[in-house]
Amino acid sequence: GEKRDIFNHLMFVLDWNLMKRSENCLNVKMIHIEFEDDYLKFIFEKEKGKQHGDMHGPWHCFANPSKPHICLVLAFARYIFAFPEVLQAGMPLFPGTNQYTRYSA
């Protein structure tokens, strides 16, 4: 698919798997994501109820090989191949300044 579709797919699946506000998902950085054993681990710096920089989580997201259309690990891999620049140190997973417009377009 197009890069826009790859972004939208990851954003939708990430938001759904983590059950987080879209703001949290749009602001996640690569330093908050780790591969551990057979899952992706997400740790967030802050969220609406915890504003003081306390680390929050972790959330463990496993692959879903029987339903690839909702598999977060596959969506993440497709996104990394389409946008390899996000692997640079300190980069946000979704770079740019107006992600809500990008996601809702």
Side-chain angles (χ1 to χ4, degrees):
E2 293 185 28
K3 282 188 166 188
R4 173 181 44 109
D5 298 332
I6 293 170
F7 162 81
N8 285 332
H9 183 234
L10 176 61
M11 184 56 214
F12 175 74
V13 174
L14 182 65
D15 204 16
W16 183 52
N17 273 271
L18 296 176
M19 300 301 288
K20 302 289 283 175
R21 298 173 67 228
S22 58
E23 179 182 349
N24 292 103
C25 293
L26 288 170
N27 293 325
V28 70
K29 294 187 175 163
M30 290 301 293
I31 59 171
H32 302 136
I33 306 169
E34 299 175 11
F35 273 103
E36 192 169 303
D37 298 325
D38 60 346
Y39 57 85
L40 283 169
K41 180 169 85 172
F42 292 83
I43 300 175
F44 293 90
E45 285 184 330
K46 64 180 180 178
E47 62 177 24
K48 189 174 183 178
K50 295 187 176 194
Q51 295 290 318
H52 302 294
D54 302 330
M55 296 306 272
H56 190 63
W59 282 262
H60 301 126
C61 297
F62 293 85
N64 189 344
S66 63
K67 295 181 181 176
H69 57 285
I70 60 170
C71 178
L72 177 60
V73 175
L74 179 59
F76 185 75
R78 289 180 66 220
Y79 183 83
I80 295 301
F81 279 111
F83 300 95
E85 61 274 11
V86 301
L87 294 175
Q88 297 174 10
M91 286 292 292
L93 179 60
F94 302 112
T97 56
N98 200 357
Q99 298 305 340
Y100 280 111
T101 301
R102 185 178 173 194
Y103 180 52
S104 62

